[in-house]
Short mmCIF file of all heavy atoms in Angstrom, two decimals:
data_model
loop_
_atom_site.label_atom_id
_atom_site.label_comp_id
_atom_site.label_asym_id
_atom_site.label_seq_id
_atom_site.Cartn_x
_atom_site.Cartn_y
_atom_site.Cartn_z
N ASP A 52 41.34 0.43 258.77
CA ASP A 52 42.42 1.17 259.40
C ASP A 52 42.74 2.50 258.71
O ASP A 52 43.23 3.42 259.36
CB ASP A 52 43.69 0.31 259.51
CG ASP A 52 44.12 -0.30 258.19
OD1 ASP A 52 43.41 -0.16 257.17
OD2 ASP A 52 45.19 -0.95 258.18
N THR A 53 42.42 2.65 257.43
CA THR A 53 42.74 3.89 256.72
C THR A 53 41.51 4.75 256.46
O THR A 53 41.64 5.92 256.13
CB THR A 53 43.39 3.60 255.36
OG1 THR A 53 42.44 2.93 254.52
CG2 THR A 53 44.66 2.77 255.52
N GLY A 54 40.32 4.17 256.57
CA GLY A 54 39.09 4.90 256.27
C GLY A 54 38.77 4.96 254.79
O GLY A 54 37.77 5.56 254.39
N GLU A 55 39.58 4.33 253.96
CA GLU A 55 39.38 4.33 252.51
C GLU A 55 38.04 3.67 252.16
O GLU A 55 37.75 2.56 252.60
CB GLU A 55 40.54 3.55 251.88
CG GLU A 55 40.56 3.45 250.40
CD GLU A 55 41.78 2.65 249.93
OE1 GLU A 55 42.27 1.77 250.69
OE2 GLU A 55 42.22 2.91 248.82
N VAL A 56 37.20 4.38 251.39
CA VAL A 56 35.92 3.83 250.95
C VAL A 56 36.20 2.93 249.75
O VAL A 56 36.76 3.37 248.74
CB VAL A 56 34.92 4.94 250.59
CG1 VAL A 56 33.61 4.33 250.10
CG2 VAL A 56 34.67 5.84 251.79
N LEU A 57 35.82 1.67 249.85
CA LEU A 57 36.20 0.67 248.86
C LEU A 57 35.13 0.40 247.81
O LEU A 57 35.42 0.42 246.61
CB LEU A 57 36.55 -0.64 249.56
CG LEU A 57 37.71 -0.55 250.56
CD1 LEU A 57 37.79 -1.82 251.39
CD2 LEU A 57 39.01 -0.27 249.84
N MET A 58 33.91 0.12 248.23
CA MET A 58 32.88 -0.29 247.27
C MET A 58 31.51 -0.17 247.91
O MET A 58 31.38 0.00 249.12
CB MET A 58 33.10 -1.73 246.81
CG MET A 58 33.06 -2.76 247.92
SD MET A 58 33.05 -4.46 247.33
CE MET A 58 31.33 -4.67 246.92
N LEU A 59 30.49 -0.27 247.06
CA LEU A 59 29.11 -0.37 247.50
C LEU A 59 28.55 -1.67 246.97
O LEU A 59 28.73 -1.99 245.79
CB LEU A 59 28.28 0.80 246.96
CG LEU A 59 26.80 0.72 247.32
CD1 LEU A 59 26.31 2.05 247.87
CD2 LEU A 59 25.97 0.32 246.13
N GLY A 60 27.93 -2.43 247.84
CA GLY A 60 27.25 -3.66 247.45
C GLY A 60 25.85 -3.63 248.02
O GLY A 60 25.44 -2.64 248.63
N TRP A 61 25.11 -4.70 247.84
CA TRP A 61 23.74 -4.79 248.31
C TRP A 61 23.58 -6.03 249.18
O TRP A 61 24.10 -7.09 248.85
CB TRP A 61 22.78 -4.85 247.13
CG TRP A 61 22.82 -3.58 246.35
CD1 TRP A 61 23.63 -3.28 245.29
CD2 TRP A 61 22.04 -2.41 246.58
NE1 TRP A 61 23.40 -2.00 244.85
CE2 TRP A 61 22.42 -1.44 245.63
CE3 TRP A 61 21.04 -2.08 247.50
CZ2 TRP A 61 21.85 -0.17 245.58
CZ3 TRP A 61 20.47 -0.82 247.45
CH2 TRP A 61 20.87 0.11 246.49
N MET A 62 22.86 -5.88 250.28
CA MET A 62 22.59 -7.00 251.18
C MET A 62 21.09 -7.11 251.43
O MET A 62 20.41 -6.10 251.58
CB MET A 62 23.30 -6.81 252.51
CG MET A 62 24.80 -6.89 252.45
SD MET A 62 25.50 -6.77 254.11
CE MET A 62 27.25 -6.83 253.71
N ASP A 63 20.63 -8.35 251.48
CA ASP A 63 19.30 -8.62 252.02
C ASP A 63 19.53 -9.17 253.43
O ASP A 63 20.66 -9.19 253.93
CB ASP A 63 18.50 -9.57 251.12
CG ASP A 63 19.09 -10.97 251.04
OD1 ASP A 63 20.15 -11.26 251.66
OD2 ASP A 63 18.49 -11.81 250.35
N ASP A 64 18.47 -9.62 254.07
CA ASP A 64 18.60 -10.11 255.44
C ASP A 64 19.60 -11.26 255.55
O ASP A 64 20.42 -11.31 256.47
CB ASP A 64 17.25 -10.57 255.99
CG ASP A 64 16.30 -9.41 256.25
OD1 ASP A 64 16.37 -8.38 255.54
OD2 ASP A 64 15.46 -9.54 257.16
N GLU A 65 19.53 -12.19 254.61
CA GLU A 65 20.41 -13.36 254.68
C GLU A 65 21.87 -12.98 254.44
O GLU A 65 22.78 -13.49 255.11
CB GLU A 65 19.97 -14.44 253.69
CG GLU A 65 20.82 -15.70 253.73
CD GLU A 65 20.87 -16.40 255.09
OE1 GLU A 65 19.98 -16.19 255.94
OE2 GLU A 65 21.82 -17.18 255.30
N ALA A 66 22.12 -12.08 253.50
CA ALA A 66 23.50 -11.62 253.25
C ALA A 66 24.06 -10.94 254.50
O ALA A 66 25.23 -11.16 254.87
CB ALA A 66 23.55 -10.69 252.05
#
Side-chain angles (χ1 to χ4, degrees):
D52 53 355
T53 65
E55 182 180 28
V56 178
L57 300 169
M58 61 171 278
L59 177 132
W61 295 90
M62 292 185 182
D63 66 359
D64 289 31
E65 181 59 21

